[in-house]
Amino acid sequence: MPITINGVEHELDVDPRTTLLDFLRRDAGLTGTKKGCDHGQCGACTVLLNGQRINSCLTLAVMHEGDSVTTIEGLGTPNAPHPLQAAFVRHDGYQCGYCTPGQICSAKAMLDEIAAGWASVVSDDLAGTPVLSEDEIRERMSGNVCRCGAYSNIVAAIVDVAGARA
């Protein structure tokens, strides 16, 4: 069973009880995705599955035959970081850094959701185009919990990148 991770095809030859998170970290050797609470509550394990964010600890690897997964390693490199990675550094959008990979993957998907016109619970007009605001960012990033208190810097980094897109 194939699965594509960061553009590279891998074989899913694992125990069917293996979570996608454990497959990524243990079998694919991609340790950028972090195991936080292991219950889907902290968002540290957020990856992009076919472009949409998911908590990789809450799904089994074998459920994703033929899917495409993007981890933090697939967004950018140290020499060519993704704009969100660069903005998080520029705005000091992290403290200990443990949750940062999940935060950046979630922010990437969140900006794509807004660009696609997906409303959130705080959107003023559910049928209209969502307007990027700090309330929208905070609501859409609420599944990624940072225990170090860097929320304002994370919002600043996302606003910086969203402004660059406009």
Side-chain angles (χ1 to χ4, degrees), residues 3-6 8-14 18-33 47 61 69 71 73:
I3 185 170
T4 302
I5 305 170
N6 301 331
V8 176
E9 190 171 296
H10 294 259
E11 270 305 308
L12 272 172
D13 186 19
V14 294
T18 303
T19 65
L20 180 59
L21 172 61
D22 288 337
F23 176 77
L24 292 169
R25 291 182 55 80
R26 185 189 62 219
D27 301 304
L30 298 167
T31 57
T33 305
V47 298
V69 176
T71 69
E73 292 95 338

Side-chain angles (χ1 to χ4, degrees), residues 61-107:
V62 295
M63 296 169 61
H64 300 292
E65 178 182 4
D67 285 340
S68 177
V69 176
T70 303
T71 69
I72 191 68
E73 292 95 338
L75 287 181
T77 66
N79 293 331
H82 184 278
L84 280 165
Q85 292 169 318
F88 268 62
V89 171
R90 194 169 43 255
H91 290 277
D92 196 18
Y94 54 88
Q95 294 294 316
C96 75
Y98 195 81
C99 68
T100 304
Q103 295 270 5
I104 291 173
C105 285
S106 191

Side-chain angles (χ1 to χ4, degrees), residues 124-138:
D124 290 332
D125 180 5
L126 296 180
T129 302
V131 176
L132 184 69
S133 66
E134 287 194 15
D135 286 343
E136 281 284 347
I137 292 171
R138 290 182 193 285

Side-chain angles (χ1 to χ4, degrees), residues 113-156:
E113 291 165 7
I114 289 174
W118 295 7
S120 80
V121 71
V122 299
S123 297
D124 290 332
D125 180 5
L126 296 180
T129 302
V131 176
L132 184 69
S133 66
E134 287 194 15
D135 286 343
E136 281 284 347
I137 292 171
R138 290 182 193 285
E139 169 57 27
R140 292 173 188 259
M141 294 296 292
S142 65
N144 293 79
V145 179
C146 170
R147 291 170 180 83
C148 304
Y151 285 120
S152 60
N153 296 1
I154 292 168
V155 171

